[in-house]
Amino acid sequence: MERSVVPSMDLSKPSTHANLEAAFGGESMANRKYLFFSEVAKQLGHKDLAKLFRDTAAQETEHAFAHFRLLHPELVVNNPEQLSDEEKQAILSRCLELAIEGETYEYTTMYPEFAAQARQDRDSGAAAEFAEQSSESKEHAGLFRTAAKNFGLLTPIEQHHAETYGVALEALQGKGSAGQADQPIPGKWICKVCSMVYDPAEGDPDSGIAAGTPFEAIPDDWHCPI
C-alpha cells in the first residue's frame, strides 16, 4: 500500500498539539510494550501469541509515525530524489536537533528529578513501613532503591546519547567526522546493548563490584544492572 501525502494541520491551538504529543507517546509506549510481551510469549513457547504481539506492535508504530508526521511536517519526505543536497541536510539536521533536545532533557532534567523523587519516596513512606517490619514495605523500599539507582545510571547514558548526536550533527555540517574510534578510550566502558557506562572509580557496589575495580577484574557472571 502506498503512503499518501500527509495533510497539513493547524497546530496553533495548544490543545491539539498536546493531544498529538500524547497520542504519539501512547502509541510509542504500546509499541515497546507489545514487543516486550512478544519476547515473553516467545520465551514461554507461545509462537502464535508472540507473532500477534509483534504484528500489533508494528501497527502501533505506523500509528505513532502518523501522529509524528503531523507534529513535524518539515520532516516528511515524499520525493527524496527531488530534494537538493541542502534540503536533505536541513532535514537530517532537524532530526539530530530533536534527538539532542530529547536526550539532553532526559539527562539534565527528567532522570535527575526521577532519581530524587525515588530517593524521597524510599526515605519517607517506605521508611515508615519498615517500623512494622512488613515484608511488603521491604519490597517497596527495594523497588524505590532500584528505581533511584536506574535513574542515576540512565543520566550519563542519555548524556552520552546527546553528545553522540551532537558529533553526528557536526559531521553532517562538515565540521568533522563521526564514527567509533579505532582504539578504545581508556577509563570508562560503554555497553553496546544498553549504553550503560561503567566507571571503575565508582564500580557497581549494588552488584558487589567495589569502587576502584578495573573493568578487566569484573567477574564473568556480572551483567549490566539496567
Side-chain angles (χ1 to χ4, degrees):
M1 181 177 68
E2 294 184 358
R3 191 182 307 284
S4 59
V5 177
V6 178
S8 60
M9 189 172 190
D10 182 10
L11 297 180
S12 59
K13 295 184 178 180
S15 58
T16 298
H17 190 277
N19 288 341
L20 278 174
E21 288 276 12
F24 173 70
E27 298 288 2
S28 300
M29 185 183 299
N31 166 267
R32 308 321 292 178
K33 285 196 300 184
Y34 296 161
L35 287 178
F36 183 90
F37 296 161
S38 176
E39 184 63 23
V40 171
K42 179 181 177 181
Q43 292 176 335
L44 297 180
H46 289 263
K47 295 182 179 179
D48 290 342
L49 184 55
K51 183 177 184 302
L52 173 62
F53 279 128
R54 189 169 59 251
D55 291 346
T56 307
Q59 295 166 9
E60 301 292 11
T61 294
E62 289 304 312
H63 300 164
F65 281 7
H67 297 319
F68 197 76
R69 292 187 188 98
L70 291 175
L71 286 166
H72 293 282
E74 76 277 12
L75 300 180
V76 177
V77 178
N78 293 314
N79 297 297
E81 64 278 359
Q82 295 181 3
L83 296 176
S84 65
D85 290 342
E86 291 75 14
E87 290 172 326
K88 292 178 181 178
Q89 179 163 326
I91 292 173
L92 293 173
S93 295
R94 180 58 177 153
C95 289
L96 286 168
E97 288 168 358
L98 288 171
I100 293 170
E101 178 184 308
E103 299 292 344
T104 300
Y105 165 74
E106 289 181 359
Y107 85 80
T108 61
T109 303
M110 187 177 78
Y111 282 124
E113 290 183 354
F114 286 179
Q117 185 63 55
R119 287 191 294 270
Q120 179 180 331
D121 291 344
R122 178 195 67 195
D123 295 337
S124 58
E129 292 180 348
F130 266 137
E132 302 176 4
Q133 297 184 349
S134 167
S135 60
E136 182 178 358
S137 72
K138 293 181 181 179
E139 180 180 356
H140 288 171
L143 291 174
F144 288 136
R145 187 177 298 109
T146 299
K149 175 187 174 185
N150 285 350
F151 291 147
L153 289 171
L154 287 167
T155 298
I157 290 175
E158 304 306 344
Q159 180 177 358
H160 170 68
H161 288 167
E163 291 173 350
T164 301
Y165 284 133
V167 171
L169 179 58
E170 290 187 354
L172 185 66
Q173 297 171 343
K175 300 178 181 179
S177 60
Q180 293 186 342
D182 295 333
Q183 298 296 327
I185 299 175
K188 295 183 180 181
W189 285 258
I190 299 177
C191 176
K192 292 185 177 180
V193 176
C194 70
S195 291
M196 179 219 165
V197 179
Y198 176 77
D199 187 346
E202 298 179 1
D204 183 17
D206 290 336
S207 299
I209 309 300
T213 302
F215 186 78
E216 296 80 2
I218 296 177
D220 293 337
D221 60 354
W222 178 83
H223 57 82
C224 292
I226 296 179

